[in-house]
Amino acid sequence: MPGTDCQLPTRHLIACRSVESWPRDLQPRSAALARVFPTLGEFEDLAAREFERIPAQYRSGIVSLTINEGSERHPTIPDWFTLGYCQAYLPSLYAGEDAEVTSEIVLFYGSFKAIALRDDSFDVDAELWETLTHELRHHLEQRAGIDDLDAEDYALEHDQRRRSGLEFDPAYYRAGEELDAGVYRVDLDLYLEIDWGRHEWTKRSGTSLTLTFEELEVEVTVPEMPASGPFFEIAGESPFERGRSSGEVILVWIVRGGRLER
């Protein structure tokens, strides 16, 4: 919980689709990991070097880069770890008009290691850099008084809640980046809305449909009209990639006039 002099930390949940979760019966690759995963000291040195790569003007106001040896699981989503977070501290009322927000970036060494145990594609260097720059964006947005990244984190969390069979906001993806009318990007995933009235649904159910966005073309069979709320369907790989990971094209089938709120 936040103290009296700080804001609630904005957590960086894993953004790489292939390492967000894994089957519970998947066995850790402990023997191989012991030979390649950095020790705590090596991880601290790597984090410090990566942090120094960031231009000084963007690091201004970061009072500490802290490495926590432990791991931190998400409180409600199974098999999700927090890699790091940005703790923002508001200036004291007595600090003067020029005082600015300062922040501490915390990285969980144990979370990085736990994910690497279960995913051969996990690139600790790339994920460390991604986490550092992500948390730095939170710091910069706090200083600027905007919350674009908070909205993206909200979308990521509710996407994983949907995938885990938990209660979720059916319009979560609209918190991501709107690329075009009815087209949204959340991290590496591309969401395409198909929004029809009941008459159109009755006419089109069971027929073929071709959807296009820029150079992407997706051919699908129209499902039966959803009984309530939107229906989410994976329809292939998205054009977005990060390292060895790629996202998905997710179709959002909507009955116009139904419940889709945010």
Side-chain angles (χ1 to χ4, degrees), residues 29-39 42 113 116-117:
R29 49 186 183 92
S30 305
L33 178 73
R35 295 193 297 270
V36 298
F37 196 82
T39 64
E42 291 169 340
K113 188 171 183 178
L117 273 168

Side-chain angles (χ1 to χ4, degrees), residues 19-255:
V19 299
E20 283 177 345
S21 59
W22 52 86
R24 293 185 179 275
D25 58 353
L26 181 62
Q27 295 301 310
R29 49 186 183 92
S30 305
L33 178 73
R35 295 193 297 270
V36 298
F37 196 82
T39 64
L40 176 61
E42 291 169 340
F43 185 87
E44 290 173 332
D45 291 342
L46 177 61
R49 289 197 302 271
E50 293 296 275
F51 186 67
E52 290 298 321
R53 288 178 54 201
I54 300 169
Q57 65 266 32
Y58 298 117
R59 291 185 276 119
S60 176
I62 300 295
V63 296
S64 176
L65 173 62
T66 302
I67 308 301
N68 187 311
E69 186 175 0
S71 61
E72 179 155 313
R73 289 181 178 270
H74 190 277
T76 60
I77 302 177
D79 296 333
W80 241 37
F81 286 89
T82 297
L83 294 181
Y85 69 91
C86 177
Q87 174 70 72
Y89 298 94
L90 299 178
S92 166
L93 294 175
Y94 306 101
E97 294 182 359
D98 296 332
E100 295 185 296
V101 172
T102 57
S103 299
E104 175 188 15
I105 292 178
V106 179
L107 303 177
F108 291 97
Y109 170 78
S111 293
F112 280 83
K113 188 171 183 178
I115 299 165
L117 273 168
R118 295 163 170 85
D119 196 302
D120 289 321
S121 69
F122 187 76
D123 185 333
V124 64
D125 297 73
E127 292 298 333
L128 177 57
W129 176 256
E130 173 72 16
T131 305
L132 275 174
T133 54
H134 182 106
E135 300 312 333
L136 187 61
R137 274 188 62 194
H138 276 302
H139 168 68
L140 296 172
E141 288 192 0
Q142 286 275 3
R143 285 192 152 193
I146 58 179
D147 61 357
D148 291 350
L149 203 53
D150 287 350
E152 181 180 314
D153 283 350
Y154 176 89
L156 283 168
E157 177 168 351
H158 280 262
D159 174 59
Q160 188 59 30
R161 292 184 65 85
R162 176 182 65 82
R163 294 170 185 268
S164 299
L166 302 173
E167 184 177 355
F168 67 95
D169 177 356
Y172 70 85
Y173 58 91
R174 291 182 178 175
E177 179 184 3
E178 186 173 10
L179 303 179
D180 203 343
V183 182
Y184 298 85
R185 176 176 177 174
V186 176
D187 191 43
L188 301 180
D189 292 336
L190 181 68
Y191 289 78
L192 305 178
E193 287 185 338
I194 303 94
D195 183 1
W196 294 330
R198 294 182 178 276
H199 176 73
E200 190 74 8
W201 269 103
T202 301
K203 182 173 67 174
R204 287 180 173 264
S205 291
T207 65
S208 296
L209 178 67
T210 301
L211 302 169
T212 60
F213 175 69
E214 296 181 348
E215 297 181 1
L216 178 72
E217 184 175 293
V218 178
E219 294 186 7
V220 294
T221 299
V222 178
E224 293 296 319
M225 182 173 61
S228 63
F231 171 69
F232 293 81
E233 179 183 6
I234 297 173
E237 289 191 357
S238 81
F240 309 125
E241 298 180 342
R242 182 188 303 117
R244 290 174 289 181
S245 300
S246 59
E248 297 169 334
V249 174
I250 301 175
L251 308 183
V252 187
W253 301 94
I254 302 170
V255 180

